Amino acid sequence: MDILREKRDSNLELLRIVSMAMIIAFHYVYKGGFDFESGGTIINRMVYDVVYHFGEVGVNCFVLISGYFFDKTTFSWKKVIKYAVMVEFYLLLGNIILICFFDGDKMNLLNYKQYIYLILGNKYWFVSAYMLIYVISPYLKKMIINLEQVELKRLLVIQLVIWSIYPTLGLLGLNNGDTESSPYYNRYIWLLVMYFMGAYIKLYDIKYMNDLKKSVSLFIIIILGLLLFIFFEEYADVRMKEISAVYFWRPNSVVVFLFSLTLFCVFKHIKLGVNGAINYIASCTLGIYMLHDGVLASVWWYDIFKNAMYQYSKKFPFMIMFAVVIIFICGIVIESILKFMDKYLKLKCKRIWIELKS
């Protein structure tokens, strides 16, 4: 879903990096084995609750970016194959790392079933959903271009009412606070909504977020509202029945949707020009995602960073940032090696082809 990043202005590429950092931070708290019901400092609990909302904000922003560049997207089966190969590579790499360093099951490496589903498997749900959107993106593009502004706006309003506003407000306090339990909802549908939203912003913008000042103001209001809600839920003894402090963490909740939308608009209006370093790191984010999640998920959080031991520590907020930085560095190194090998092999094949022709 990308045009050449080196030619893109770096504001939304920086958002891509920030989004991936938010996803990793979320996984740190979500999969880290914490139990703040049994205790923890006020600061750590607050950090935990806030970071818990980051992951789906990052996912939403990734797809908003793709939708924003819908008119620049050129479909290619080569790209589909490329991402399928990436999935297989990171599955294989993860299993090899488990065997070599963490007493992994050698038989699991030979289990062919985990490799044959390519991007349609459930090892990396986001990659699967993302690539399915990419496969139908030429038809989405035609639909978006041929819809009048009022029609596209109406479509978005209908989708948001059904899959965001109603489940957030209508199910408040029900179904264990799960806004994703509404009828006929799934993650793929929601990412399509975000794709349409990104495209709408590209074509028509949003009146109340059409400059940096407005976007920042609304973003601050959303953040302060979320912090206030978490404070009352955790510390002010005014808990709403069956509603936790992280009730709004899912991607389709009104709060996380607005969090994502305002954050996207803030970066959209930032003027950075073209920055090669930012664009290069952004090109590594999908690899970073596959490296830190999937096969190696538990290894990062239980064996390497030992997350849960910092539940009562003053280092807890800093350990989240430390984990993000380390995973980024590892991912960039691996992606850089892959990019070098890809470039080398293409050059080698080109030379062989020229020699055969001559």
Side-chain angles (χ1 to χ4, degrees):
M1 284 185 168
D2 303 314
I3 59 174
L4 292 176
R5 285 194 175 88
E6 58 269 21
K7 295 182 180 179
R8 279 189 185 177
D9 286 345
S10 298
N11 53 338
L12 292 182
E13 294 305 294
L14 180 59
L15 176 58
R16 195 185 299 275
I17 296 170
V18 171
S19 297
M20 183 51 59
M22 294 175 80
I23 291 170
I24 296 171
F26 162 70
H27 284 154
Y28 184 99
V29 301
Y30 181 70
K31 299 182 178 182
F34 297 102
D35 180 17
F36 279 96
E37 293 298 321
S38 64
T41 66
I42 292 178
I43 292 176
N44 287 2
R45 289 181 66 177
M46 196 75 175
V47 169
Y48 174 89
D49 290 337
V50 172
V51 173
Y52 209 95
H53 292 79
F54 282 4
E56 305 309 332
V57 172
V59 168
N60 285 348
C61 285
F62 261 104
V63 185
L64 283 168
I65 293 169
S66 295
Y68 187 78
F69 289 112
F70 84 98
D71 56 334
K72 300 287 197 301
T73 300
T74 302
F75 178 78
S76 168
W77 282 109
K78 288 182 180 179
K79 184 166 288 187
V80 176
I81 294 171
K82 173 186 173 182
Y83 285 125
V85 171
M86 280 184 68
V87 170
E88 301 301 328
F89 170 79
Y90 278 101
L91 285 174
L92 181 63
L93 177 65
N95 279 302
I96 291 173
I97 291 174
L98 285 177
I99 291 169
C100 293
F101 302 102
F102 300 98
D103 297 322
D105 184 0
K106 293 182 180 180
M107 293 304 297
N108 192 50
L109 179 66
L110 303 176
N111 181 9
Y112 70 93
K113 291 182 179 180
Q114 68 175 314
Y115 302 108
I116 62 175
Y117 297 107
L118 299 175
I119 60 171
L120 296 180
N122 61 358
K123 293 294 183 182
Y124 301 105
W125 77 265
F126 175 70
V127 177
S128 298
Y130 188 88
M131 289 311 299
L132 287 174
I133 292 176
Y134 176 69
V135 168
I136 66 170
S137 62
Y139 309 102
L140 296 176
K141 182 177 180 179
K142 286 185 178 181
M143 178 181 176
I144 292 165
I145 290 174
N146 285 288
L147 285 174
E148 298 290 338
Q149 179 181 0
V150 66
E151 293 174 316
L152 184 55
K153 182 187 291 186
R154 191 175 297 140
L155 174 63
L156 280 168
V157 169
I158 292 170
Q159 291 174 321
L160 290 172
V161 168
I162 294 172
W163 289 308
S164 180
I165 296 172
Y166 170 71
T168 302
L169 303 180
L171 297 179
L172 201 65
L174 303 178
N175 299 311
N176 297 316
D178 184 357
T179 63
E180 293 189 282
S181 64
S182 56
Y184 312 111
Y185 169 91
N186 60 50
R187 289 286 177 99
Y188 181 66
I189 287 175
W190 181 250
L191 294 190
L192 281 174
V193 177
M194 291 295 92
Y195 188 84
F196 281 120
M197 180 60 71
Y200 183 90
I201 294 172
K202 178 63 175 288
L203 293 174
Y204 308 113
D205 219 332
I206 298 176
K207 181 179 179 181
Y208 300 105
M209 287 179 270
N210 57 5
D211 63 42
L212 183 60
K213 184 177 180 180
K214 292 178 183 177
S215 300
V216 170
S217 298
L218 286 172
F219 177 72
I220 291 173
I221 290 172
I222 296 299
I223 293 299
L224 290 177
L226 178 60
L227 291 174
L228 193 62
F229 171 79
I230 291 173
F231 175 79
F232 280 127
E233 282 295 298
E234 288 282 22
Y235 315 117
D237 288 330
V238 290
R239 290 181 65 97
M240 299 172 66
K241 187 178 180 181
E242 296 185 22
I243 296 296
S244 71
V246 294
Y247 170 75
F248 295 109
W249 77 271
R250 292 175 175 84
N252 65 319
S253 78
V254 170
V255 173
V256 164
F257 164 66
L258 292 176
F259 190 161
S260 309
L261 187 63
T262 54
L263 181 63
F264 174 82
C265 289
V266 167
F267 277 86
K268 172 181 173 289
H269 295 298
I270 294 174
K271 304 300 181 184
L272 286 180
V274 179
N275 184 297
I278 290 175
N279 291 7
Y280 182 81
I281 295 172
S283 73
C284 298
T285 49
L286 193 59
I288 293 170
Y289 168 76
M290 286 190 276
L291 175 67
H292 96 279
D293 207 17
V295 176
L296 293 176
S298 61
V299 168
W300 286 111
W301 311 132
Y302 288 92
D303 297 305
I304 297 177
F305 295 115
K306 304 183 187 300
N307 299 15
M309 68 180 292
Y310 295 99
Q311 179 167 318
Y312 299 91
S313 172
K314 294 179 181 179
K315 297 179 181 178
F316 175 64
F318 303 101
M319 286 305 300
I320 296 174
M321 292 184 283
F322 177 71
V324 170
V325 171
I326 293 301
I327 290 173
F328 255 82
I329 291 173
C330 293
I332 291 169
V333 169
I334 292 173
E335 281 293 300
S336 297
I337 293 171
L338 291 177
K339 290 176 188 294
F340 173 80
M341 291 175 61
D342 180 61
K343 188 175 181 179
Y344 174 79
L345 289 173
K346 284 180 179 178
L347 185 61
K348 196 73 173 176
C349 290
K350 185 177 180 180
R351 287 177 179 174
I352 292 172
W353 177 248
I354 293 173
E355 290 177 2
L356 289 174
K357 287 180 67 177
S358 61

